[in-house]
């Protein structure tokens, strides 16, 4: 019944549900064209956004980028407007002095304070640097109907990408919100979308036995019902750190309502086995773990053989780090299970654009189902508005005194 | 009584308690001498460590470094051996091809698998690159008594810094473990230690009314007793992200025992107001927030005035980002308090080495007291050993089959 409600609700913001299947070729082509232009003409793309407007792009970019080198196929993408740090802003501007840049400002409502302030600064700096030509270097991604940013774009002749009106911020990764920055970073967004498309087909079944996203939703809901209150997303590859952050927003904002919901937390193993591992094994029994594991990772390193075996590690020589990492995962699952921690395992074949696209869609669908199981509405965030109101009020009072 | 137990226990690993006050001048000077040599002769210091052997140095380094530029006074410090990713290792080695480097391998026991494997790889690479001279470029930081690494250092003529035997990993930031990498990154470790020294004097009183570290410990314990199960450390400056990670290890590993303890989680505001903010405001009522706020941050940026006020933000012009950030903090405290979330506020004067040193000591002392209030022993981590055993067992089985 929830399945039907989710699939057939005409008035709900569920554009993301069939988004990958209905992706308009022209829309995709226009993103790729602008991305090519940016890569050719700039050293840096400055993305302005907060929450759902940047977490997804950053997550995919980091999951699929080298750890220590810049992309060969893309350019630097840096993010701003997701905080109010004056030091961050000042040093960002300084870092642009000797670089050519484009700006992509992303906001569904077009009036979020953090990104609006950053846009004011960056726009001014672009106009100083590029004069008349600045307007060709500013790309706006916003709602096609109700958005102040839309008006600003039209009045100034900035190019504009629409965020479909029926797709909310945290479900918008696979629209222009995520696709343009990800493409500029040199990642194949067609493969990313292919993966999401495959997921949209695979995960259509209404039965949790055949639908893995629903199965995940049902199991985590059962654990919630049993009294567990924290879900710990765990991975063994540090590149997935920002995928965890995206997941935390998706589930935390969708479910954390009416005094309900699993608190979403995350760990990077094996790092955090030497940190939160103690708590997981033996602390307050509130949490279960969800392992997100990509089985194949293309890059790897052999452990060398050493004639003088003074560290006693020759028994591991000629194994690779990724092999030991996999064994470390098995050991962790065994140890934590013995410690009484329930464990969900999500296994993905390979860390590449296709499979990341698949996983993104998987989590979005599982999240919507999870929220409905909890009897909360997955697509609003009334609690975020509470602090926004407080801040606006304080700012206005302050500015009168000022 | 706990206070006395903590201050006077001769056989406990509480060397950190008076460490800053008793810091040996020669020890400090030798760290500075080696740090100067590294800065002169290398582009990069590769620090090998996991858990308490790297989290503290990384935390202090990031808190006090520019966001977008390298240090003027230091060199790059990069970390390895805190994960088992083959991609990370391979790309790290590649990134060293065109750089001069030193290695600082840090391990209390001298036999933690992640760092031992990384050291094997880096040592081999250093010997290939630097031949005989390699041994001058490897610095070992380990226990002076029982440590395999100590034996390796002695047999190979590597320079060696001691980790005092009565200081455990997660309490070791203010020993050579943290001080050498932090100094190489260009941060004034004398000021850092001065701050810790001041804290060691200020926080000596046995009464929570006069001792702020104990007050923090008592309040968080009272909240635990009332049923709260998650402590969310919140800051408004993104540079503090790794301080949060260090704090999570400190409290999670010290308290998370015998099925007890507050789950330590963290948020970067205002970023996460657009992510976990919804959950904090209105999700499962399990958590309280601890705001760690540095009042003065030297670098800042003015919001410009715009003749064409098309974003309606002129009422904020000529205010700085840091001012707005402070107001945003006030608004958040008000909104979350109205949402029923208990809030602890830790206010620090300025984000600089002195005050970071103060805060580090503050948290260590508060943590030990917190664990005793919970009736758990703050200085061991039996749960970490559980997974270590499993992995060793699996690795030996695998290597026999292999």
């Amino acid at each position: 019944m929830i399945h039907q409600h989710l699939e057939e609700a005409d008035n709900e913001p569920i554009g993301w549900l069939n988004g990958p299947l209905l992706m308009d070729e022209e829309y995709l082509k226009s993103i790729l064209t602008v991305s090519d232009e940016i890569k050719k003409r700039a050293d840096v793309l400055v993305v302005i956004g907060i929450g759902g407007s940047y977490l997804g792009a950053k997550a995919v970019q980091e999951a699929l980028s080298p750890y220590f080198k810049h992309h060969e196929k893309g350019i630097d993408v840096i993010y701003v407007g997701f905080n109010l740090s004056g030091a961050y802003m000042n040093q960002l501007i300084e870092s642009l002095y000797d670089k050519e840049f484009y700006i992509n400002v992303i906001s569904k409502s077009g009036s979020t304070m953090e990104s609006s302030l950053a846009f004011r600064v960056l726009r001014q700096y672009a106009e100083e640097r590029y004069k008349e030509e600045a307007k060709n270097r500013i790309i706006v991604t916003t709602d096609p109907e109700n958005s102040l940013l839309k008006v600003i774009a039209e009045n100034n002749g900035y190019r504009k990408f629409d965020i479909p009106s029926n797709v909310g911020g945290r479900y918008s990764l696979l629209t222009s919100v995520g696709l343009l920055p990800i493409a500029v970073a040199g990642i194949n967004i067609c493969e990313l979308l292919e993966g999401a498309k495959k997921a949209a087909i695979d995960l259509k079944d209404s039965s949790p036995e055949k639908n893995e996203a629903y199965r995940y939703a049902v199991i985590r809901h059962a654990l919630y019902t049993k009294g567990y209150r924290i879900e710990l997303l765990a991975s063994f590859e540090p590149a997935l750190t920002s995928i965890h952050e995206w997941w935390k927003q998706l589930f935390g904002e969708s479910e954390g309502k009416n005094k309900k919901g699993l608190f979403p937390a995350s760990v990077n193993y094996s790092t955090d086995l030497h940190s939160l591992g103690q708590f997981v094994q033996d602390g307050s029994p509130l949490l279960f773990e969800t392992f997100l594991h990509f089985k194949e990772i293309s890059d790897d390193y052999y452990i060398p053989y050493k004639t003088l075996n003074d560290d006693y590690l020759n028994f591991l020589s000629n194994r690779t780090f990724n092999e030991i990492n996999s064994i470390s995962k098995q050991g962790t699952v065994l140890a934590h299970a013995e410690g009484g921690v329930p464990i969900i395992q999500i296994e993905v074949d390979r860390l590449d654009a296709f499979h990341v696209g698949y996983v993104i869609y998987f989590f979005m669908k599982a999240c919507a189902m999870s929220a409905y199981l909890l009897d909360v509405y997955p697509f609003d965030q009334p609690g975020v508005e509470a602090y926004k109101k407080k801040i606006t009020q304080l700012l206005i009072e302050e500015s009168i005194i000022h």
Side-chain angles (χ1 to χ4, degrees), chain A:
Chain A
M1 211 185 72
I2 295 177
H3 170 74
Q4 260 183 4
H5 179 71
L6 183 58
E7 295 275 342
E8 290 163 18
D10 279 348
N11 302 318
E12 299 288 358
I14 49 167
W16 55 273
L17 207 55
N18 290 309
L21 297 171
L22 304 173
M23 178 62 68
D24 183 55
E25 280 299 318
E26 286 308 309
Y27 182 77
L28 186 57
K29 210 184 279 176
S30 65
I31 291 173
L32 288 169
T33 307
V34 173
S35 154
D36 285 342
E37 174 190 322
I38 297 172
K39 286 192 275 182
K40 208 154 57 185
R41 299 193 54 211
D43 309 306
V44 178
L45 172 65
V46 181
V47 172
I48 303 172
I50 192 165
S53 296
Y54 91 105
L55 284 167
K58 187 161 184 278
V60 173
Q61 185 198 338
E62 287 182 13
L64 298 171
S65 295
Y67 285 104
F68 290 92
K69 272 195 312 182
H70 300 310
H71 277 282
E72 281 161 31
K73 294 176 188 161
I75 61 166
D76 271 353
V77 177
I78 54 179
Y79 298 88
V80 67
F82 63 90
N83 63 55
L84 289 165
S85 159
Y88 187 92
M89 179 55 80
N90 194 35
Q91 292 162 26
L92 171 78
I93 294 287
E94 280 177 11
S95 81
L96 294 177
Y97 285 168
D98 57 354
K99 289 185 186 128
E100 302 297 327
F101 66 96
Y102 267 60
I103 294 168
N104 181 200
V105 53
I106 306 172
S107 172
K108 175 91 175 157
S109 70
S111 57
T112 307
M113 186 183 60
E114 286 89 342
S115 34
S116 299
L117 284 174
F119 185 45
R120 174 175 271 229
V121 171
L122 265 301
R123 187 151 67 124
Q124 193 201 43
Y125 179 63
E127 283 163 2
E128 275 169 34
R129 273 275 297 272
Y130 295 114
K131 315 289 176 207
E132 263 303 288
E133 211 246 318
K135 72 174 197 289
N136 302 323
R137 289 178 170 261
I138 295 172
I139 319 284
V140 169
T141 305
T142 191
D143 193 272
E145 307 290 336
N146 303 308
S147 159
L148 178 58
L149 208 46
K150 173 191 161 253
V151 178
I152 294 175
E154 285 168 357
N155 289 343
N156 289 275
Y158 305 148
R159 275 171 291 179
K160 203 161 57 67
F161 284 106
D162 290 345
I163 309 173
S165 289
N166 60 354
V167 177
R170 59 187 173 276
Y171 294 85
S172 69
L173 203 170
L174 299 168
T175 71
S176 54
V177 169
L179 294 176
L180 180 60
I182 292 169
V184 172
I187 290 155
N188 190 325
I189 57 171
C190 298
E191 283 177 20
L192 188 80
L193 285 169
E194 279 306 312
K197 225 183 261 186
K198 177 83 163 47
I201 295 164
D202 287 358
L203 306 173
K204 267 213 169 307
D205 206 285
S206 65
S207 138
E209 278 121 67
K210 291 184 193 159
N211 185 326
E212 291 186 308
Y214 288 175
R215 191 148 73 236
Y216 170 52
V218 167
I219 295 172
R220 61 195 294 289
H221 184 69
L223 289 165
Y224 178 77
T225 310
K226 278 184 111 175
Y228 291 96
R229 285 295 174 267
I230 300 171
E231 178 176 9
L232 203 55
L233 187 67
S235 301
F236 278 74
E237 187 66 38
L240 300 173
T241 305
S242 291
I243 294 270
H244 295 173
E245 292 303 312
W246 171 82
W247 172 90
K248 277 152 76 171
Q249 191 214 11
L250 179 65
F251 280 84
E253 255 188 15
S254 298
E255 286 194 323
K257 287 161 202 168
N258 309 334
K259 308 294 168 196
K260 297 186 201 174
L262 285 161
F263 181 78
S266 64
V267 278
N268 295 311
Y269 289 151
S270 57
T271 307
D272 287 332
L273 290 170
H274 300 257
S275 161
L276 291 175
Q278 168 65 39
F279 194 101
V280 175
Q281 187 79 37
D282 199 28
S284 295
L286 289 164
L287 58 83
F288 67 90
E289 282 184 298
T290 298
F291 282 83
L292 174 62
H293 186 58
F294 288 82
K295 287 189 270 185
E296 200 186 313
I297 290 173
S298 60
D299 205 359
D300 203 352
Y301 201 89
Y302 273 99
I303 291 154
Y305 180 82
K306 211 168 171 320
T307 318
L308 176 66
N309 187 24
D310 60 354
D311 55 4
Y312 305 102
L313 290 171
N314 269 352
F315 77 107
L316 295 176
S317 69
N318 296 317
R319 311 297 301 266
T320 73
F321 272 83
N322 288 349
E323 284 169 33
I324 312 279
N325 207 6
S326 274
I327 293 168
S328 154
K329 187 200 143 239
Q330 290 170 44
T332 308
V333 169
L334 288 173
H336 291 180
E338 274 184 18
V341 181
I343 287 170
I344 298 173
Q345 297 207 52
I346 299 171
E347 299 265 338
V348 191
D349 282 344
R350 210 173 6 264
L351 184 55
D352 60 18
F354 180 91
H355 290 88
V356 167
Y358 197 103
V359 164
I360 294 295
Y361 187 93
F362 167 87
F363 277 131
M364 294 197 299
K365 187 139 192 186
C367 181
M369 173 54 80
S370 292
Y372 280 126
L373 286 170
L374 203 62
D375 200 22
V376 300
Y377 183 66
F379 306 118
D380 63 357
Q381 53 281 335
V384 178
E385 310 305 328
Y387 106 90
K388 279 190 183 176
K389 259 185 228 149
K390 284 282 172 221
I391 291 171
T392 310
Q393 192 186 326
L394 286 173
L395 285 173
I396 290 167
E397 283 167 17
E398 284 262 339
S399 76
I400 291 165
I401 297 160
H402 189 66

